[in-house]
Structures are given as C-alpha cells and as structure tokens.
Amino acid sequence: MPRSSKSQRISKYMAGSAALKCLPGETIQEEAIRVKKCVHYNDGPHYILGTLYCTNYRTAFRTEHPDKDSADEVLFDNDNDIALPCVDRIVAVAGQTKMKAVTAQSNLKFIPEDLLIYFKGFRLMHFQFSNEGLQPQAYKITKAILQYQQKSCPTMKKRNTVLQNVDNKQDGSPVDFPTQLFESYSDWENEIDRLRASAWRVSPVNERCDTSTSLSKYIVVPCKLLDNDLKKTFAHFNQRRVPRWSWHHPGGSDLLRSAGFETNTEPDKENMRSIRSLLFANHSQCVIVDTSDELPSVSDIQLAYGKLRTLCINDPSVMVSDEKWLSNMEGTRWLDHVRLCLKKSSEISIFLGEGKRSVVLQESEDRDLNCLLASLVQVMSDPFVRTISGFQSLVQKEWVSAGHPFLQRINPFKETDKDESPVFVLFLDCIWQLIQQFPSAFEFTESYLLALHDSTFSPFCSSFMRNCQWERIRGCQRQFYSQTYTPLNGWRDIVRDRILLNGDYTVEEEKPTPVTAWQWDLFYDRLRRQQFRNPIYQHKEQPMQNSNGIVDKASKLDAPSQCQMYRLSRGSLVLQSPLLSLKNGTVSKKGARRSQSLENLLDEERQFRANVSPQHSSTDLLQPLCVGPWVRLWKRCYLRCATELQLDLPPPSAAALAKELKSLLEKLKNFHITNSQELNPSLTNQTAGNSFSLSSYG
C-alpha cells in the first residue's frame, strides 16, 4: 500500500512521524530504520535519525521526527531523495579499513556501517547504519540500491517522466512564480507585446513540427515576410533552423539567432530576398556574431567539466587554499570558459545598445552556445529577466523551447557519453558570477540557482528530459494514443477523442499534464522556497522607448546599396557582402576595423566601460568584470562533496541570536555617536536618543 509522507526540513528540533509517499508506479523494495543521515556543517558533522527507503525509482530518507512547522507536502524531496539514474558511485564503508566502491555485480563481503552515495550535480549523501542488531537490513538495502540503480535508467526513460501521471492540481503551471512556457501562440504574442516589438509577428509555419522538428511550434519573424516566402528559406539552413527573433532592445536593435548556412543548397534570387529580410529584420545594418570563434566548443566544455568534477569529488582531502589545488583548478580551464562567455555576452550587449541594428547569433546547429549567449545578453540587458518569473521564462524560451539537446548534453539515463556536455551548467555558473558582482540586481538567490542546477539532472520532470517540443509532444502521444491509431494532419490538441477499439467506441481518458521544473512546491517545502527570494533585490522597470525597429522610407531593405552586413569575429568587425559570411564561414581581413577592445586587464575594462554611451546606462546594462579575481569558483555548488564545505552553520539558538543582535545594536549606537559629531547639537541629541531606544530592544 502506498504510504503518505510529509516533506521535511533538516533540523535538530523535530517532532511527529513520517513515512514515504510513493509516486505512481513506485514500490518500496527495502527499508532500514534508525539510519543516521550525516550532514557536515562548518562546526562539524550533525546526525539526523530517520528511515532509509529503496524503491524502484529512488532512495529516500525520511526523518523520524519531522518538523511541525513544515506542513507542506512534496512528492520528491530534492534535499533527501536521490533519483536512481542520477547515482554516479556508491561506496560502502566498514570500520576504518574497509572502503569499497560497489556495483550491482560486486560481491559485497562485509556488512556496511556507512554508505556514501555520490550523484550528479557534485552531490553526496552519507548514511550511517545502526549497530543495534540491525546489521542485516544494512546489507539488504545496500544490495537493493545497487540492483535497482542498474535497472532504473531504461525503466524511467520508457515511462518518459514519472510525475506525468501525478494528480497535478496546478495543471502544469508554476504556483509561486508565473512562467511563460513558450509552447503556445499566446506566449510569444505576450513577449512581443512586453518588449513593444511591433515590427515582428508570430508565425505558425512550424505548427505541426514538420518544417523543423528541433524548433518550437511557433517562431517570430518580421511582419512584412509572408509565410509562403518563409517556408522556402528553411532548406538553406542547418537542421532547417532559420534566423528568428529572440529579443528587442529598448533602443531599437533586435537580437536574432540562426544555424549555419546549408552549403549544399543554392538559393535563388527570390529566396535570397527572403533570407535578407530575416537577417536584416527591418534594419539597414546587420551584425553576424560567429559563436564558434573565441568561445569554447561543446567538447571543450565537457573536457573542462570532467577535470573539474575529478578535482572536486575525488580529492576532497586537499584544502581549497592549497596552492597545488588552486593550480589544478586553473588547469581545468573551467573558469576560463566562464570568463570568455561573460566577455562575449557583454560585448554583444553593448553592440545592441549602440544603435538600431540586427545582431544575429550564428552557430553551426544553433542549439548550444547560441542558447547560452542569447540568455546571457538578455540577463545583462533586461531587468525583467532578472526576476524569478522572467528568468524561468527566459530558460523556457532560449533553452527548452529553442531545442537545446538536454538528453545528450546532460545524459540523465547514461546512454552514451559521446555528446555529453554541461552547457546549461556553464550558463548557470555565469549567472552566479553576475549575482556576485551585482547582488541587488537579481530577485533570486544562490539557493534558487542551486535548486535549478539540481533540477537539471532530475528525471522526475519534463522540462529537461526532452530535446525539443516535438519530442515532448511525441512522448506524450505515445502514452496517450492507442498503437492502432495514428493522428492525421499533425499533432492533436484535442484532449478527448472517440476511437474505435474492439468494435466499441470508447472515450479516452484526459491526457496527463507533464510536471515542469518550475513547480517548486512538488520538490521543495515552503521554508526552502522562501530562500529563493533575494531580500536586497532592487526592482527596476525596463525603460520603454518609442522605438520598434521599423526603418524609415529612406532606408528600406528594397535598396540593397544601403544595407550593410558585418561579421563580428575575434574582436573585429568585418564588412561582408550579404550572405557571404553565412555561406563560407570565413572572415575576410580586407576592410576590417577593430572593435572596442575587451582585454584581460582591469584598467582597460574600466576604460572600456567609461566609453559606453548614456543610452546603455538608461537600459540598466550589467557589465561584469571578467579578469581573474572577479571570476571565482562556485564553491557552494562544486565543493558540496568536501565535508568541510557542504553547508553553513546550523540554525543558531535563540540565546545566540539575542547576543548577536545586542552586538549589532551596540555597533549601530557607536556609529550614530561618531557621525553625530558633524551634526548640530539638536540632531546629535535626537540621534543619541534613537540609538538608546534601539539598544533597549537588546
């Protein structure tokens, strides 16, 4: 029988009882009582008593005495549960001499006293079994975890997402922070209206996902370009991913993204005109940004990430202040990749603000670095994107809906590591760097970023378990439709259909709503979700100018002589003949002029920022420092397996809080007295009185 449970918050003060609530199709295989979960704080290890469960989907720990204040119920507790496909390594420990990395094929010849479970996302869970006559259950649950961890990947992939069949009260929409999923026509219309990009429209040309399977059902194109002309351009781009709109700058520029030009096709004159309309996008100037230059490749990112993971997980005994460790850290080149991405995004953001032009991000397949750059540019330029709702909508628009291949890059089911590369993790690291340099500019916190980072590897939601909207639709329909029935005329949006089955008409059940990563209430309790909001966030409205990117009659695209195409590559702006840069992918040095330099020196970066026009400051542009000391290691994420750095200090006692408050009030009183010497006597007395009143609360 499935049993219900309430989510828990790690705490030393608990009361009550809890059990595990099973997910649809989940069964408990083994359980061990009186298990201690070891949590390392800065003042040493703390032990939480509870029950460890092994199911066919996960390992789950439930405290023996849950916190009364945590009344929310979660289906999958990300702080205490481990999805079995996410497990990387299991180490069994007995005494001080026996330590063995075990697998399903291992012959475990001793009863483990401790169990270390390393799983994706640089995470570790440490369990200590009771020695009060309960040794056999420690052996049984260890063997069960090993057995079902091996079986979990093919099983969970076949089921698409486990939580898809959960009774979802919110109908798939986030509760705490409303999010645009960019899977409907209205979502794109709302984005155009928000940015006042009236020169653009939503095209349903890919509504059946048959024109390009990796693109979303709806794309945004110039208003003057007809769908009949648009259809003819798809064949001339890799994976049929045509140039399309991503974001509109308040100053009038537009950000687009595109795949590389298909070299095996020769567009005729009419198609060339349509492609020009897409690239110039109502402007007389187009800048092509080649993302293959300067930035790391997908394989470079994976190589650096592998070295980083080896350093942070396999060598936890070395202190991070050790010179050799720091040297090895730089040797991974992970921070170099972060610096390059921040630098390139800042450069593109400035180009967008300098004048009215189209800036086209060009990548061979338009599914990796284009996602990263388009997202970072908008985070730096658009204050709305720095809110929680705006950021979640951005991830949906530029990653999930745009067709980033999460299944290959994250590799949640461990099928093949050939295409694995954590591009999205690199993006989150860049966002963390921006939060460190601009702490009051973001509504969300580091805790939120960590939760999103961990959700990336979770197979219990649909957001990151498919590569594109077409695959998500197809995955749902495989479960929804009978094998004897094939939908005609594209994908169906009808919830209920009458089908012929065994000679009888039956009404199919309502299609289950997939769970998204943004439904935080299913994975984190209320107290944990409260840590997502930044208390020092300063909200700023995006300034809207009366500029929609429409050129005047003197600069219409019908006059080719007045349209200029540039290519931004390795710090150079190179004048190109139209479409030449897309066809051959080379940069001609003839006629090149150097762009403003972004050298790796702090003084030159400051001088560069001093030259930014007033138009940039009006858009609240974030310009991060990218030199060595300003780009740091995300310790709270990457060093979670190092025991001395897992968590901060536990919640202090009431007496300790009162003592700290008294100390702060005393410092505040001294501050007022010092500053009052420069004021007139009446203000001095008033300030001293206020300070005395404050100190009385101590």
Side-chain angles (χ1 to χ4, degrees):
M1 289 289 292
R3 291 169 287 174
S4 63
S5 68
K6 292 186 177 180
S7 61
Q8 295 83 31
R9 176 173 60 92
I10 294 177
S11 176
K12 293 168 63 178
Y13 309 99
M14 306 176 192
S17 60
L20 180 67
K21 179 178 180 180
C22 290
L23 302 171
E26 183 179 30
T27 56
I28 297 176
Q29 306 300 322
E30 289 289 346
E31 61 182 274
I33 62 173
R34 302 195 62 76
V35 176
K36 294 179 181 178
K37 180 183 176 184
C38 182
V39 182
H40 292 272
Y41 292 100
N42 290 339
D43 65 342
H46 290 243
Y47 295 94
I48 306 163
L49 191 63
T51 301
L52 180 63
Y53 298 91
C54 172
T55 77
N56 53 331
Y57 291 159
R58 57 177 164 165
T59 63
F61 180 79
R62 294 295 177 265
T63 57
E64 193 171 90
H65 303 288
D67 194 340
K68 285 183 177 180
D69 295 333
S70 182
D72 296 335
E73 186 178 87
V74 295
L75 291 173
F76 183 90
D77 189 350
N78 267 341
D79 290 328
N80 293 297
D81 297 354
I82 309 172
L84 291 177
C86 295
V87 175
D88 276 340
R89 183 164 51 117
I90 299 176
V91 178
V93 182
Q96 307 229 345
T97 58
K98 295 181 180 179
M99 178 179 290
K100 181 180 181 181
V102 291
T103 64
Q105 291 76 31
S106 299
N107 186 13
L108 189 59
K109 296 181 179 180
F110 60 89
I111 296 177
E113 297 176 5
D114 292 74
L115 197 63
L116 305 178
I117 303 179
Y118 294 84
F119 55 111
K120 288 191 174 184
F122 297 86
R123 299 180 69 186
L124 164 68
M125 281 200 188
H126 180 186
F127 299 106
Q128 190 175 91
F129 297 107
S130 173
N131 56 3
E132 300 175 358
L134 299 174
Q135 291 89 343
Q137 67 175 10
Y139 182 86
K140 289 180 180 179
I141 197 168
T142 301
K143 294 295 290 184
I145 292 173
L146 293 170
Q147 177 185 356
Y148 285 94
Q149 189 268 334
Q150 185 183 35
K151 297 179 180 179
S152 62
C153 290
T155 301
M156 296 184 73
K157 183 184 179 183
K158 184 178 179 181
R159 292 182 59 86
N160 191 6
T161 54
V162 174
L163 295 188
Q164 184 166 320
N165 295 320
V166 170
D167 182 15
N168 193 352
K169 298 178 181 179
Q170 287 80 35
D171 296 328
S173 59
V175 178
D176 300 289
F177 315 107
T179 303
Q180 301 272 14
L181 299 181
F182 289 95
E183 293 187 345
S184 67
Y185 190 96
S186 60
D187 287 345
W188 289 102
E189 281 281 351
N190 292 337
E191 182 73 354
I192 292 175
D193 292 342
R194 181 183 74 85
L195 295 169
R196 299 185 182 179
S198 58
W200 300 85
R201 68 177 180 87
V202 183
S203 171
V205 69
N206 195 43
E207 193 168 22
R208 298 177 182 177
C209 297
D210 53 355
T211 308
S212 174
T213 56
S214 64
L215 283 179
S216 61
K217 293 170 64 175
Y218 305 100
I219 60 175
V220 178
V221 297
C223 288
K224 67 178 184 179
L225 184 63
L226 301 178
D227 283 348
N228 286 336
D229 296 329
L230 176 62
K231 287 180 181 180
K232 300 175 183 178
T233 65
F234 279 81
H236 303 297
F237 293 88
N238 293 336
Q239 295 193 11
R240 305 176 66 87
R241 297 176 66 89
V242 295
R244 62 206 181 280
W245 178 84
S246 281
W247 183 72
H248 178 72
H249 191 280
S253 293
D254 290 290
L255 179 68
L256 292 83
R257 51 185 294 181
S258 169
F261 201 83
E262 178 60 61
T263 57
N264 295 329
T265 64
E266 286 293 337
D268 56 25
K269 187 175 181 181
E270 184 178 342
N271 289 345
M272 289 278 284
R273 187 181 296 109
S274 299
I275 294 174
R276 281 172 58 91
S277 297
L278 282 173
L279 293 174
F280 282 89
N282 308 304
H283 299 285
S284 60
Q285 188 180 88
C286 173
V287 177
I288 303 292
V289 179
D290 186 358
T291 58
S292 63
D293 288 337
E294 302 181 76
L295 296 182
S297 66
V298 171
S299 58
D300 292 335
I301 295 172
Q302 174 61 14
L303 180 62
Y305 185 78
K307 292 180 179 179
L308 176 69
R309 184 173 177 80
T310 301
L311 182 65
C312 294
I313 291 182
N314 295 340
D315 197 11
S317 60
V318 180
M319 296 296 293
V320 295
S321 58
D322 184 88
E323 290 185 6
K324 182 179 179 181
W325 193 94
L326 294 173
S327 176
N328 291 337
M329 178 67 238
E330 285 296 327
T332 66
R333 299 210 61 194
W334 179 259
L335 293 182
D336 289 337
H337 297 339
V338 174
R339 294 185 187 103
L340 288 174
C341 292
L342 289 172
K343 176 182 174 181
K344 191 71 172 179
S345 302
S346 181
E347 184 177 350
I348 295 171
S349 300
I350 292 174
F351 270 108
L352 279 167
E354 283 182 340
K356 297 181 180 180
R357 57 169 65 99
S358 69
V359 177
V360 184
L361 304 179
Q362 179 206 347
E363 185 185 13
S364 177
E365 296 182 353
D366 179 40
R367 302 184 71 176
D368 291 295
L369 295 178
N370 270 8
C371 299
L372 188 149
L373 284 180
S375 301
L376 283 179
V377 167
Q378 293 175 60
V379 169
M380 292 179 182
S381 306
D382 190 345
F384 171 74
V385 176
R386 298 171 214 149
T387 66
I388 297 180
S389 293
F391 186 75
Q392 293 180 172
S393 300
L394 174 74
V395 173
Q396 281 289 143
K397 180 175 72 170
E398 300 297 347
W399 294 84
V400 180
S401 178
H404 178 66
F406 282 103
L407 270 182
Q408 282 71 42
R409 299 295 181 249
I410 301 299
N411 193 20
F413 302 114
K414 304 178 183 177
E415 292 183 303
T416 174
D417 57 0
K418 182 179 67 173
D419 298 319
E420 188 172 342
S421 181
V423 183
F424 187 69
V425 175
L426 179 62
F427 164 68
L428 294 181
D429 197 322
C430 292
I431 298 298
W432 181 82
Q433 305 290 342
L434 291 173
I435 290 178
Q436 303 312 299
Q437 296 191 31
F438 307 96
S440 63
F442 292 84
E443 185 186 14
F444 49 89
T445 62
E446 182 183 24
S447 294
Y448 171 85
L449 277 185
L450 277 172
L452 179 54
H453 172 275
D454 297 341
S455 298
T456 306
F457 303 98
S458 173
F460 291 98
C461 57
S462 64
S463 299
F464 308 123
M465 289 299 107
R466 295 292 177 186
N467 293 332
C468 57
Q469 188 173 3
W470 175 68
E471 288 191 9
R472 285 188 291 275
I473 296 172
R474 187 177 60 170
C476 291
Q477 288 186 335
R478 281 177 175 173
Q479 296 182 9
F480 183 55
Y481 290 110
S482 166
Q483 292 181 354
T484 61
Y485 177 78
T486 302
L488 300 176
N489 301 323
W491 304 112
R492 303 179 67 98
D493 293 325
I494 304 172
V495 177
R496 295 180 180 272
D497 290 295
R498 300 186 65 87
I499 62 173
L500 185 62
L501 184 62
N502 297 326
D504 298 324
Y505 284 97
T506 60
V507 179
E508 293 193 2
E509 295 182 358
E510 186 174 348
K511 191 187 302 183
T513 304
V515 172
T516 69
W518 319 120
Q519 294 169 260
W520 299 110
D521 59 315
L522 296 178
F523 305 99
Y524 294 96
D525 62 33
R526 178 180 53 83
L527 294 174
R528 186 79 157 78
R529 299 198 305 272
Q530 287 178 348
Q531 300 175 16
F532 290 175
R533 289 188 182 274
N534 181 9
I536 63 171
Y537 168 63
Q538 297 178 359
H539 176 70
K540 292 184 179 180
E541 292 289 344
Q542 172 77 359
M544 290 297 179
Q545 302 178 17
N546 188 18
S547 176
N548 53 22
I550 299 179
V551 296
D552 54 26
K553 294 181 180 179
S555 59
K556 282 189 177 180
L557 298 183
D558 295 334
S561 60
Q562 297 184 9
C563 295
Q564 294 179 320
M565 176 178 287
Y566 294 90
R567 189 176 187 84
L568 176 64
S569 179
R570 300 189 180 279
S572 296
L573 273 181
V574 184
L575 185 63
Q576 299 280 307
S577 62
L579 302 182
L580 177 62
S581 59
L582 289 176
K583 284 186 177 181
N584 54 30
T586 59
V587 179
S588 171
K589 299 300 180 184
K590 184 179 180 180
R593 67 174 180 88
R594 299 296 295 179
S595 65
Q596 290 175 306
S597 179
L598 282 172
E599 301 296 332
N600 287 333
L601 294 173
L602 183 60
D603 292 339
E604 293 192 15
E605 286 201 359
R606 286 176 174 168
Q607 182 179 3
F608 178 74
R609 283 159 179 71
N611 293 331
V612 176
S613 65
Q615 185 178 359
H616 296 143
S617 58
S618 66
T619 61
D620 192 35
L621 177 65
L622 303 184
Q623 301 173 67
L625 299 173
C626 304
V627 292
W630 293 97
V631 176
R632 298 176 290 171
L633 179 67
W634 189 3
K635 292 183 180 180
R636 196 175 164 194
C637 179
Y638 303 138
L639 295 177
R640 284 185 282 183
C641 286
T643 55
E644 72 276 7
L645 291 167
Q646 277 193 23
L647 293 172
D648 297 328
L649 288 171
S653 62
L657 284 174
K659 183 178 179 181
E660 183 179 1
L661 179 60
K662 185 176 181 180
S663 173
L664 292 173
L665 288 170
E666 187 66 27
K667 291 180 181 180
L668 182 61
K669 177 182 176 181
N670 294 335
F671 174 79
H672 280 297
I673 293 175
T674 302
N675 286 296
S676 65
Q677 296 176 358
E678 301 177 2
L679 304 175
N680 58 54
S682 61
L683 289 177
T684 301
N685 294 334
Q686 182 180 358
T687 305
N690 291 340
S691 299
F692 179 78
S693 299
L694 285 171
S695 64
S696 64
Y697 288 97

